[in-house]
Amino acid sequence: MSAPLPVDTRVSTALRHLQTLIRDQALPAGAPLPSEVQLSRELGISRGSVREAYRALAATGAVEVGNGRVPRVGGLNAAPVTSMLEHVLDTRQVTPQHVLQLRRAIEIQAASLAAMHRSAAQAAALEGTVTGMERSGPGGDAFVTHDLAFHETLAQASGNPLFAVLNRALHRVFESSIRRGQHHYADPYHFGALVEAHRKVAAAVRNQDAPGAAAAMREHFAQAELVAMLLELDSGETGEEGGAGPR
């Protein structure tokens, strides 16, 4: 009789088996996967090793597991990306400025794509969030809610589901940057410029003007980069981190 495999090897065996199964059978998101009992018997390893393999894959979003539920192939999920981004920010492996640069690249392209692919309902929803921002006034939870909804709607309207995933993954740091930067928009002039920047993007998307939407978003990020610089100056005085995205 051959010697039993080390526990980590057993887990790796189950993990690779599941990955191969999903890939080779082209299983779609939501498709059921073998139970712990089935896989344990098939591979000749313990249920505990199979369970650890499922947990490892669940952490990456590749599968979905739950007590008493059949394991299933995972769908698009922002959680693994969110965890990674929060970790590298918390451990200062990247800076808020790095996040701003990432968001700039994503959102300029998303604005252009949204102008080409948006539905009438999405165009109306985008303009509705701008109206909500204006009515909410600077500061407060209502303004933050409308601002976040603007960027979420834009990502969804792009027609590329990965933009929506990345938008959700950046949600926490984005919301934090909005709240931290609000005092720079407290006066009517700067608040009006902020709302107008969003309105220009929304109008270009409504008019299906892809170059105009991209240009308007670039203007918005130029404004955001200035605020990020001001936040860095603020953080230099208080010892806190700066912001990481446009309002």
Side-chain angles (χ1 to χ4, degrees), residues 189-200:
Y189 175 80
H190 288 97
F191 179 71
L194 171 64
V195 172
E196 184 60 22
H198 287 83
R199 182 175 286 116
K200 285 181 178 180

Side-chain angles (χ1 to χ4, degrees), residues 23-139:
R23 182 182 63 249
D24 290 354
Q25 295 191 16
L27 298 178
L33 292 166
S35 69
E36 291 179 7
V37 173
Q38 290 173 313
L39 206 55
S40 174
R41 289 174 180 168
E42 181 179 348
L43 299 179
I45 60 178
S46 70
R47 288 183 61 184
S49 295
V50 173
R51 187 177 303 118
E52 286 302 312
Y54 268 122
R55 286 175 178 170
L57 288 172
T60 69
V63 303
E64 296 174 359
V65 296
N67 291 334
R69 293 187 297 172
V70 174
R72 295 186 181 275
V73 178
L76 276 175
N77 184 0
V81 184
T82 301
S83 296
M84 182 273 292
L85 286 172
E86 291 182 353
H87 170 69
V88 296
L89 277 166
D90 290 343
T91 55
R92 307 199 180 196
Q93 298 179 62
V94 300
T95 67
Q97 186 64 25
H98 291 144
V99 177
L100 176 58
Q101 292 167 355
L102 174 64
R103 294 201 71 247
R104 185 180 191 276
I106 292 170
E107 298 233 20
I108 290 173
Q109 182 68 5
S112 178
L113 289 172
M116 293 187 280
H117 301 296
R118 59 79 174 161
S119 66
Q122 288 169 330
L126 200 62
E127 292 190 312
T129 62
V130 178
T131 300
M133 291 170 62
E134 187 172 32
R135 290 176 177 172
S136 298

Side-chain angles (χ1 to χ4, degrees), residues 97-234:
Q97 186 64 25
H98 291 144
V99 177
L100 176 58
Q101 292 167 355
L102 174 64
R103 294 201 71 247
R104 185 180 191 276
I106 292 170
E107 298 233 20
I108 290 173
Q109 182 68 5
S112 178
L113 289 172
M116 293 187 280
H117 301 296
R118 59 79 174 161
S119 66
Q122 288 169 330
L126 200 62
E127 292 190 312
T129 62
V130 178
T131 300
M133 291 170 62
E134 187 172 32
R135 290 176 177 172
S136 298
D141 290 339
F143 175 85
V144 173
T145 297
H146 288 300
D147 199 349
L148 290 170
F150 175 91
H151 293 279
E152 177 67 19
T153 302
L154 191 73
Q156 292 173 351
S158 73
N160 184 334
L162 292 176
F163 283 131
V165 168
L166 290 172
N167 183 276
R168 289 193 295 274
L170 289 163
H171 181 95
R172 188 196 76 163
V173 67
F174 183 27
E175 180 177 1
S176 175
S177 73
I178 293 173
R179 294 187 184 280
R180 288 179 53 76
Q182 285 187 90
H183 66 281
H184 289 293
Y185 295 102
D187 64 280
Y189 175 80
H190 288 97
F191 179 71
L194 171 64
V195 172
E196 184 60 22
H198 287 83
R199 182 175 286 116
K200 285 181 178 180
V201 175
V205 170
R206 180 198 64 216
N207 294 332
Q208 297 183 303
D209 177 5
M217 187 59 80
R218 286 191 189 94
E219 290 180 14
H220 181 25
F221 269 86
Q223 187 182 66
E225 286 160 358
L226 175 59
V227 171
M229 289 172 54
L230 293 173
L231 286 173
E232 285 184 7
L233 291 175
D234 291 346

